[in-house]
Amino acid sequence: MNVFTPEIDRKPSKEEAAKALEVLRSFAEKALDYEIDALDPGIAALRDGGVPYPDLSRVYPTAFRADEAYRETLPDLQNGPSSLIKGENRLIQHVGISNFRLPIHYRTRDHGELTLETSVTGTVSLEADKKGINMSRIMRSFYAHAEKTFSFEVIEAALDDYKSDLESFDARIMMRLSFPVRRDSLRSGLSGYQYYDIALELVELDGVRRKILHLDYVYSSTCPCSLELSEHARRTRGQLATPHSQRSVARVSAVLANEGDCLWFEDLIGLCRKAVPTETQVMVKREDEQAFAELNAANPIFVEDAARLFAEQLQADPRIGDFRVLASHQESLHSHDAVSVLTEGTTFADDSLDPKLFSTLFHVG
């Protein structure tokens, strides 16, 4: 059914149009450009000295160059007044960019050098009364140091630069990479590359800086209870049985001590391999598979054991301060996983855990 509304459909009178025009002119004189653009860019023509909205070119101007004078005319909303802030005017602890990637040079413990794709996250604090930050400055600051071989001193210099550029108090840089190490098989003499997910984190909070190294270590865990039950079936009933074991992941996070020798990536990996030697294998022939079964039988562990074994190695290394161990045994017996969290010191002592924390420990091919 059609509904006819005379008040809406009738033509406004000249007097009504004049009053509406007066309101629009007042709005055009007082409103900011982005407010006008959001309503109708043509309203700008109602300003004093305004011109009719132009017929815009739809051809990309390849010859145009933005000189300094032109750049000075460009709007910069993120550096605008606090009146532009939307929502609660308060401090934001972290704001920045995540997962910009570039090749970074890394030294190895044996004095070699690798160039690896690295994902970088950079954030700063944003004070109340500041609208926002120019996020490209974080990338520009980091790129200024990207050609140098990695060290924490290099990323400290990058952090100093973008703290200064963005006039922030607190800041953070995280670099994620996959670090290759050649590993020998257990018995066949073959070898292949094991890749370790590593993250480097530099955090400055209230003037205090912490350097943190994160490592995901992937291993096999054989259930001690299942091993004993299998042996019981064999011994008492002559029944062949196999214990359950599963791919497991520990995320080890270590705050580096301010003094002392360098903790190389290979060093932290070595601590994990010493704590739990059943690391998953790269190259495997039949004799290696048999050896791995024997290695697992010699090192059965619950998830509680894993956390404490890793902690034992971390605690004993003077290059490491606070640390955290997250362990996930991705059960082949159960429909759920067995997990544990062990922390040392205040850095990682959170009362609350990210609801998705343990789901990030799955490593897929």
Side-chain angles (χ1 to χ4, degrees):
M1 180 176 69
N2 293 326
V3 178
F4 177 70
T5 308
E7 186 61 28
I8 295 176
D9 292 341
R10 73 176 179 82
K11 178 182 177 182
S13 68
K14 183 177 180 180
E15 291 76 15
E16 289 171 328
K19 288 180 180 179
L21 182 59
E22 184 179 346
V23 171
L24 284 174
R25 280 182 173 145
S26 176
F27 175 77
E29 290 298 331
K30 298 174 182 177
L32 298 173
D33 288 345
Y34 80 91
E35 294 175 317
I36 291 174
D37 290 342
L39 183 60
D40 186 336
I43 294 174
L46 298 176
R47 288 174 167 170
D48 285 343
V51 295
Y53 196 65
D55 182 15
L56 300 178
S57 170
R58 294 181 178 271
V59 178
Y60 179 73
T62 55
F64 176 76
R65 296 293 181 269
D67 58 21
E68 185 61 32
Y70 180 81
R71 287 194 290 270
E72 287 296 322
T73 69
L74 295 174
D76 187 359
L77 294 183
Q78 290 295 68
N79 286 319
S82 59
S83 60
L84 296 180
I85 291 174
K86 295 183 178 181
E88 185 72 18
N89 184 359
R90 59 180 297 172
L91 168 76
I92 299 176
Q93 283 79 13
H94 299 283
V95 60
I97 55 178
S98 175
N99 195 35
F100 73 88
R101 294 176 295 168
L102 68 171
I104 297 290
H105 309 297
Y106 296 91
R107 287 193 296 268
T108 61
R109 188 174 57 184
D110 61 1
H111 308 296
E113 188 170 291
L114 296 171
T115 300
L116 302 173
E117 180 185 283
T118 302
S119 167
V120 180
T121 294
T123 63
V124 295
S125 60
L126 180 66
E127 298 174 70
D129 293 328
K130 286 189 176 182
K131 168 65 175 171
I133 68 169
N134 294 114
M135 295 193 182
S136 65
R137 290 185 182 179
I138 294 177
M139 283 189 67
R140 296 200 303 269
S141 297
F142 198 90
Y143 262 85
H145 301 273
E147 293 302 318
K148 302 173 185 175
T149 300
F150 166 81
S151 70
F152 269 108
E153 288 71 26
V154 171
I155 61 173
E156 282 194 274
L159 184 137
D160 285 336
D161 284 353
Y162 76 65
K163 269 188 61 185
S164 175
D165 287 346
L166 296 167
E167 299 178 347
S168 297
F169 291 108
D170 300 331
R172 179 188 305 260
I173 292 178
M174 178 178 283
M175 302 166 60
R176 294 185 293 113
L177 60 132
S178 187
F179 186 74
V181 178
R182 198 170 187 95
R183 293 291 179 214
D184 294 331
S185 59
L186 293 173
R187 286 180 180 155
S188 66
L190 299 175
S191 66
Y193 281 100
Q194 189 81 275
Y195 282 81
Y196 298 91
D197 285 354
I198 287 174
L200 306 150
E201 195 174 11
L202 178 65
V203 181
E204 179 166 336
L205 181 63
D206 296 330
V208 177
R209 286 188 176 176
R210 290 192 298 274
K211 303 168 186 176
I212 305 172
L213 181 58
H214 306 270
L215 165 70
D216 279 12
Y217 178 69
V218 185
Y219 59 99
S220 171
S221 60
T222 295
C223 174
C225 183
S226 184
L227 179 60
E228 292 301 318
L229 291 171
S230 297
E231 288 303 304
H232 181 273
R234 291 172 177 175
R235 185 176 63 253
T236 62
R237 296 186 290 116
Q239 176 62 50
L240 179 64
T242 59
H244 77 86
S245 59
Q246 50 275 321
R247 183 181 295 179
S248 304
V249 180
R251 179 165 298 151
V252 174
S253 301
V255 177
L256 305 187
N258 291 326
E259 304 295 336
D261 296 333
C262 173
L263 182 71
W264 296 92
F265 298 160
E266 297 94 329
D267 293 338
L268 186 57
I269 294 167
L271 292 177
C272 291
R273 285 166 57 87
K274 184 177 180 181
V276 178
T278 52
E279 181 178 24
T280 55
Q281 301 294 295
V282 182
M283 300 291 282
V284 174
K285 296 182 74 173
R286 283 176 296 171
E287 58 266 40
D288 301 311
E289 186 169 354
Q290 184 182 63
F292 194 61
E294 295 169 13
L295 184 64
N296 273 269
N299 295 277
I301 50 171
F302 294 116
V303 74
E304 301 93 331
D305 301 324
R308 288 169 172 153
L309 286 165
F310 289 121
E312 181 180 37
Q313 295 299 318
L314 297 169
Q315 189 84 52
D317 196 309
R319 296 169 294 180
I320 294 173
D322 290 357
F323 61 80
R324 179 183 63 194
V325 178
L326 304 173
S328 174
H329 289 189
Q330 291 146 23
E331 297 282 310
S332 62
L333 170 64
H334 302 291
S335 299
H336 54 264
D337 303 326
V339 297
S340 62
V341 180
L342 186 156
T343 66
E344 168 66 26
T346 59
T347 303
F348 305 105
D350 294 327
D351 293 330
S352 175
L353 294 178
D354 181 339
K356 296 287 187 179
L357 177 63
F358 292 109
S359 65
T360 67
L361 295 179
F362 281 85
H363 279 235
V364 296

